[in-house]
Amino acid sequence: IRFASVAVAVLAYNRRDLPALPAGPGLLVPRREGRCLASAAFETAVFPGSAPDGLTLVRVLLGGAGREFDVQGDEAQAARRARGELRELLGLGEAHPRWTRVARWPQACPQYAVGHGLRLRRLESCLRSFPGLCLARDSYRGLGTAECVRSGRQAARAVLERGRSGCGVLL
């Protein structure tokens, strides 16, 4: 399974410095736009109370499959890129965030290529030879935190059903 790298930047703006953000939880940027910004989530619109009064949080996803961006670069570079692309896309003018946090996730996002289903069936066939081994992650049947939790719970149930002796879990 191939993986793509991403960086996540969270920017905290003084609400009074921002023009009105678009309605809704955020935006997705099609790859054909040629940007490294893949999405922006308006965190304080989705989760009221997630920031102190007067602050607006925007979470930006940079990179991913087909979006060239050096997620190994320094934090300041990712923050500048996030601010610049948000400024262009949302017309933020000269608003500067009070603070920015960046997390880099190299090779973190599984890419489901043609033939992924067949690959999974082969993997499951191989795993039958190792009855104590369970795989858990979003690499297999769905992306994101919810899938990681579901997959982990399913693996835990399988391990408990088989008994505790000699069982292992590979994440």
Side-chain angles (χ1 to χ4, degrees):
I1 300 172
R2 291 185 330 104
F3 291 82
S5 298
V6 295
V8 177
V10 177
L11 302 95
Y13 289 93
N14 285 320
R15 191 169 296 134
R16 69 181 183 282
D17 295 342
L18 289 177
L21 294 176
L27 58 95
L28 298 173
V29 180
R31 226 176 294 176
R32 69 176 175 266
E33 295 292 320
R35 296 184 178 277
C36 68
L37 190 146
S39 66
F42 309 141
E43 295 293 319
T44 42
V46 176
F47 302 108
S50 61
D53 284 341
L55 285 184
T56 296
L57 296 183
V58 180
R59 180 174 37 91
V60 172
L61 181 72
L62 300 165
R67 296 176 193 267
E68 298 308 317
F69 181 71
D70 179 14
V71 300
Q72 299 295 349
D74 66 9
E75 187 171 310
Q77 175 195 16
R80 278 191 305 275
R81 190 60 170 273
R83 280 194 314 269
E85 292 205 9
L86 277 178
R87 184 177 295 124
E88 292 172 16
L89 289 167
L90 300 176
L92 298 184
E94 294 304 312
H96 289 285
R98 283 184 51 188
W99 55 261
T100 303
R101 301 292 183 273
V102 175
R104 291 176 289 282
W105 301 96
Q107 302 299 307
C109 299
Q111 304 299 298
Y112 301 149
V114 173
H116 183 72
L118 176 60
R119 185 175 296 111
L120 288 182
R121 287 190 294 280
R122 287 180 179 158
L123 179 59
E124 288 163 354
S125 176
C126 292
L127 285 173
R128 287 188 202 106
S129 300
F130 304 93
L133 180 64
C134 298
L135 301 179
R137 191 164 178 219
D138 65 347
S139 304
Y140 310 111
R141 290 193 162 57
L143 298 173
T145 303
E147 177 54 27
C148 284
V149 170
R150 188 198 65 75
S151 179
R153 286 181 175 162
Q154 183 179 17
R157 277 192 299 274
V159 167
L160 290 172
E161 287 172 10
R162 293 180 186 126
R164 297 189 189 277
S165 62
C167 291
V169 177
L170 175 64
L171 300 176

